Every structure is written in structure tokens, then in C-alpha cells.
Amino acid sequence: MGVHGRKPSLALPPLACDAHCHVFGPAAVFPYAPDRRYTPEDAPKEALIALHDRLGLQRAVIVQASCHGADNRAMVDCLKHDPARFRGVSILDGTATEALVAELDAAGVRGVRFNFVKHLGGAPDMAVFDRVLAMVRPFGWHVVLHLDAPDIAELAPMIETLPMTKVIDHMGRAPAKAGIDQEPFRILLGLARRDDVWVKVSGAERIADPPFTAAVPFAHALMEVAPDRVLWGTDFPHPNLKHEVDEADLVDLLADYGDADALHRLLVTNPARLYGFT
């Protein structure tokens, strides 16, 4: 919904961070990838900044989405607009070079994202995956993994062996209707107990139906096992989501996620540590 929604009832702590959001286009300046699986409406940096001003978010991590592919220019343009406010997560493909990684690092990129979600194209070429991770590790980057819940069991051994920090998107996309005892979520909780695994307790609007309260027990469970390695974000502008979302509802849902100390870790301390906000 962006700039046109209401202001949330929950007042966020100073320097709160949206650790998962996107900028799309504008397509006339930053074209979408020719092989994209979806074409979003433009959601340029101005719309994102207006949203964050409405919600009370002062920091953000711009996550490259598959519709832009490995062309990170729209994301980098946002980072350069306000380097103190923004960090980024890139997508890299087999054409990536160390020079490109160094350029992205200087712009404020701190991670690389790989998608394993079937409707977005499925698992990457694992030779490219291994080569890219070897290239970004010397920069201290982490890898963001976008997974479908049914695939977590198969991917967990690989995730455990990656010699770098791992961040798993959207609570592993575990459907809330299957309950917190479902096998994929139990495996995710096991991963979350590892010191090198972080999990985003974002995506309530993806795993649960409105008003999304069925996602709260999943967030509680992850925040309990990894209080210092959880992140949260709006996922604005919610690509591939069938129902409209007012991001103020997602902010207000945080009141059920934990007390003031837990929310300060989730929204301020943890993202500052992982992304180098000062």
C-alpha cells in the first residue's frame, strides 16, 4: 500500500530497520530482467522512503528481487541516495567478477541472495552458487536464502556446511495453517539454533491469511531460539502476493512478537550488527 496507508499504532524504537524491502524500477530507467517470472508495478526509492517515513523506520536493507535479476542498478541507486540509511543485498550470476563485488561492497551491499523457490525459477546453478559464494566471502558478506518450506529438509545439510553466515527469508515460508510442529519449521528451528544462521521473522502476510495473527507463534519460536539472530522487514511492495497489505498492519503485529527489549534487538541491534549500521 506504500505511502497511502495509515500510520501504525505501535511506535517503533529510534533507528528501527526494515531489513527486507525492495525497489522496483522505474522501468524506464532500470528495466526489468528479460527472463523475469513476473513484472511488478514500479516502486521506486521515493515510494519506499515515503513508506518508511509513514511507518517510523529510519534504516532499511534493500533486497534485490528476481524481477531485476543480476542487474543491481536500481538497488545501488537507492543505497547511494542515502548511504547512512540504506544497505543492500545483491543478486549475482555467472558473469560476476571480483571487481563488481568490490564496487557493490563500496556502495553498501553486504550480502548476496539466492532463490530456491520453484515458482520463481527454482534452485540456482550450483556451480555458479559455489563460485559466487567463494567470491564474496573475502568481503565478509552473508548469503540470503529464499526457500520454500517443502524444500527445507533437503537443503538443510547444504545450508549447514556453507562456511559463512546464512540468512533465511520469511520464516522459511512455512504455512501457518500447518502449525508450528510441521517438519519444515522444526528443521528451520534447528538451523536457527546455529550461531551462523539468521532468520527473518518477516513474511507474516505470506504464511498466514489476514489479519496474519496465525504467524505470531512462528515468530515467537524463532525469536526464542535466536533472539540475537532474527531480523524483520515489510517485504514492500509484496511481489506476487494476491491480497493487498497495509504495512501499518505488519508493524502493529510486532506488538505481539515480543516486549520492548525483544523488539529493540529485532529492529535495531541485530540489523545494525549484521549490516554495519553505525
Side-chain angles (χ1 to χ4, degrees), residues 48 55 61 76 104 130 135-136 147 149 157 189 194 205 267 270:
L48 181 67
L55 299 179
V61 180
V76 168
L104 293 172
D130 291 340
M135 195 181 301
V136 305
L147 315 172
L189 284 177
R194 295 175 55 94
E205 75 284 7
L267 300 171
N270 294 353

Side-chain angles (χ1 to χ4, degrees), residues 253-268:
L253 195 65
L254 289 170
D256 297 328
Y257 275 31
D259 61 17
D261 288 341
L263 292 184
H264 194 273
R265 284 197 298 271
L266 176 66
L267 300 171
V268 183

